[in-house]
Amino acid sequence: MGERVLVVGGGGREHALAWALRRSPRVEEVVVAPGNAGTAAEPGCRNVDVAADDLDGIVALAGREQVSLVVVGPEDPLVGGLVDRLDAAGVRAFGPSAAAARLEGSKSHCKDFLLRHGIPTAAATTFRDLDAALAHLDTLDAVPVVKASGLAAGKGVIVADTMAEASAALHDILIERRFGAAGEEVLIEERLDGPELSILAFCDGVDFRVMPAAQDHKRLLVGDHGPNTGGMGAFHPSPVADEALIERIGEEVLDPTLQAMRDEHRPYRGVLYAGMMLTAAGPKVIEFNCRFGDPETQVVLPLLDGDLFDILDACVDETLAEIDIRWAPKAAATVVMASAGYPGSAAAAVPITGLDAVGDDRLVFHAGTALVEGRVHTAGGRVLAVTAVRDTLAAAADAAHDGVAKISFAGARHRPDIARATAEVDR
Ligand code: AMP
Ligand code: GLY
């Protein structure tokens, strides 16, 4: 009998995780809670209708299904202590403890951590009181970035262009409570400038291994315009990520972070996702996430030339140093298709057609999809993503966009420039 793994979550990231885990010769079945229409159809995968943030339900499910490993996708259950609960129940789980996941759960906590340990980041001050925050604003020469401290589904950061906008954002967050309890505290942060790069690393508490760097497209519209989203697409390789830079980020950010987390008696196990800005003064941390990125995961995992189960297992056992992780020396592009209204409120469910027309040489990872009377329908903001792996980024981008062109649903939107501005350069 092979291993049974439970993947917690129901987005594109979790579909990619389930797909990659199922490819491990050691894994017989992947249970996904709650999953989506894509994981329901994935060979060797089975959905169970338990919500990712139903911590009691997930712990009970892990016991009932006798899984040998739980892989937690989203940040909410991690910050809420799911891994601690599973540990207490004697279930092996991949992901940080609540104490470690606080690096994502509270931006003010993360900022204190970074400053305390001399890890490069933007200067910032935290406030709970509007008058004090406004008084601070008056002392600044440059317009800052305003951030709700808590989890706000990637929407709690306002990059203001004027002081008036910054002060309106402070009012919105602290008084109007636009992000609810996530806005009890705000950060007023120095605005940095430079290209952005996400560095994701597997961590076992002591060692880390960096995954291929993926660059994502956060804005909704072509040319990086419009509102911020969870991510409209991503690609690898990134033109800004050379080996020397990745090594530098390892030395200046990842290594000191793991060391400091050990010193603080909350060793970091799981994926550490460092959102970096490459400034003229060197790479600086914008934020830490405590999980795989979405859609970065859909780009990176198809490049893995090896066994994801072995890697995650080694992270739990603190034996990452003993295993060899290889990646295909190829390019990958992922293009997200979203519903009308995204990133605002989700549109009503509509049927999706053309999924079968996308050939086996591309991957379709579902996110907000559900089966309605046996047919795949939209069920959320980001609906699905098409990933292609090819020898060059230009070819990967063309193949992913070509896959998207075969799929349709009412109100579908995607960015035709994903992975392309860069691919043009390398053509
Ligand atoms: P976050 O949710 O912290 O990743 O922030 C969302 C986006 O806001 C980032 O990807 C950046 O584009 C932008 N951002 C956050 N912090 C800063 C900063 N200090 N300076 C400039 N842009 C920032
Ligand atoms: N793609 C951004 C994130 O996962 O936070």
Side-chain angles (χ1 to χ4, degrees):
M1 263 291 269
E3 316 275 356
R4 181 177 293 149
V5 181
L6 170 60
V7 171
V8 177
R13 164 183 53 209
E14 288 77 23
H15 187 179
L17 283 165
W19 168 84
L21 283 162
R22 186 59 188 83
R23 293 172 52 163
S24 162
R26 290 173 64 193
V27 174
E28 179 156 309
E29 189 180 38
V30 180
V31 176
V32 191
N36 54 41
T39 53
E42 198 64 57
C45 296
R46 171 165 53 93
N47 287 353
V48 176
D49 192 16
V50 176
D53 56 5
D54 174 2
L55 305 194
D56 291 332
I58 296 290
V59 174
L61 176 65
R64 201 158 66 234
E65 296 280 356
Q66 301 194 312
V67 301
S68 40
L69 182 70
V70 179
V71 181
V72 186
E75 60 275 20
D76 285 287
L78 289 166
V79 172
L82 179 55
V83 168
D84 310 71
R85 301 271 296 270
L86 289 163
D87 276 348
V91 179
R92 290 161 61 78
F94 175 82
S97 63
R102 248 191 117 199
L103 289 180
E104 174 167 0
S106 164
K107 286 188 194 293
S108 72
H109 170 81
C110 182
K111 186 63 69 177
D112 290 346
F113 172 88
L114 292 168
L115 296 174
R116 179 160 79 238
H117 295 289
I119 298 167
T121 187
T125 317
T126 302
F127 297 91
R128 286 173 168 269
D129 173 70
L130 181 66
D131 290 336
L134 291 175
H136 178 72
L137 207 57
D138 278 341
T139 68
L140 300 177
D141 296 326
V143 180
V145 177
V146 173
K147 303 184 171 187
S149 180
L151 290 181
K155 293 172 188 155
V157 173
I158 293 99
V159 183
D161 286 321
T162 63
M163 286 293 186
E165 262 179 61
S167 88
L170 288 169
H171 190 272
D172 269 5
I173 296 173
L174 286 170
I175 307 297
E176 303 296 331
R177 286 297 164 95
R178 189 161 120 210
F179 304 109
E184 274 166 19
E185 280 185 317
V186 290
L187 275 75
I188 298 183
E189 184 169 294
E190 163 200 15
R191 180 167 177 171
L192 301 175
D193 193 29
E196 286 182 51
L197 185 67
S198 309
I199 295 294
L200 282 78
F202 295 110
C203 303
D204 72 355
V206 178
D207 288 297
F208 67 89
R209 295 292 184 81
V210 175
M211 301 178 214
Q215 207 170 324
D216 77 345
H217 296 265
K218 284 206 166 67
R219 302 294 192 101
L220 180 69
L221 304 173
V222 168
D224 292 330
H225 295 294
N228 263 328
T229 70
M232 294 299 290
F235 60 92
H236 166 89
S238 159
V240 295
D242 59 52
E243 239 169 78
L245 175 68
I246 309 270
E247 201 156 305
R248 180 170 178 192
I249 293 171
E251 280 166 16
E252 294 181 4
V253 176
L254 301 175
D255 216 22
T257 296
L258 290 198
Q259 177 72 50
M261 293 298 274
R262 278 204 308 282
D263 293 347
E264 295 185 3
H265 308 291
R266 44 174 182 156
Y268 195 96
R269 294 195 187 90
V271 171
L272 182 62
Y273 169 143
M276 304 296 305
M277 196 164 268
L278 310 177
T279 74
K284 295 191 180 189
V285 177
I286 308 181
E287 62 165 353
F288 277 144
N289 292 324
C290 63
R291 50 170 175 83
F292 285 96
D294 188 343
E296 290 90 336
T297 305
Q298 293 90 306
V299 166
V300 167
L301 290 184
L303 293 169
L304 178 64
D305 182 11
D307 188 325
L308 182 63
F309 183 83
D310 282 348
I311 299 171
L312 304 188
D313 209 34
C315 290
V316 178
D317 285 343
E318 212 177 288
T319 54
L320 200 51
E322 293 166 22
I323 65 166
D324 188 26
I325 305 180
R326 285 189 313 276
W327 303 94
K330 291 190 176 260
T334 295
V335 180
V336 169
M337 296 180 79
S339 289
Y342 181 72
S345 52
V350 290
I352 305 173
T353 57
L355 289 165
D356 293 337
V358 183
D360 289 344
D361 61 341
R362 273 157 285 197
L363 296 156
V364 180
F365 292 121
H366 290 225
T369 66
L371 289 173
V372 179
E373 291 168 358
R375 286 185 64 194
V376 180
H377 281 61
T378 63
R382 286 189 292 180
V383 173
L384 55 81
V386 179
T387 295
V389 175
R390 295 291 185 273
D391 288 333
T392 66
L393 184 56
D398 286 349
H401 284 284
D402 182 58
V404 164
K406 296 185 192 313
I407 300 173
S408 52
F409 55 88
R413 49 167 49 174
H414 73 279
R415 275 185 55 174
D417 61 339
I418 299 294
R420 280 218 159 118
T422 314
E424 297 304 338
V425 179
D426 109 352
R427 232 181 250 273

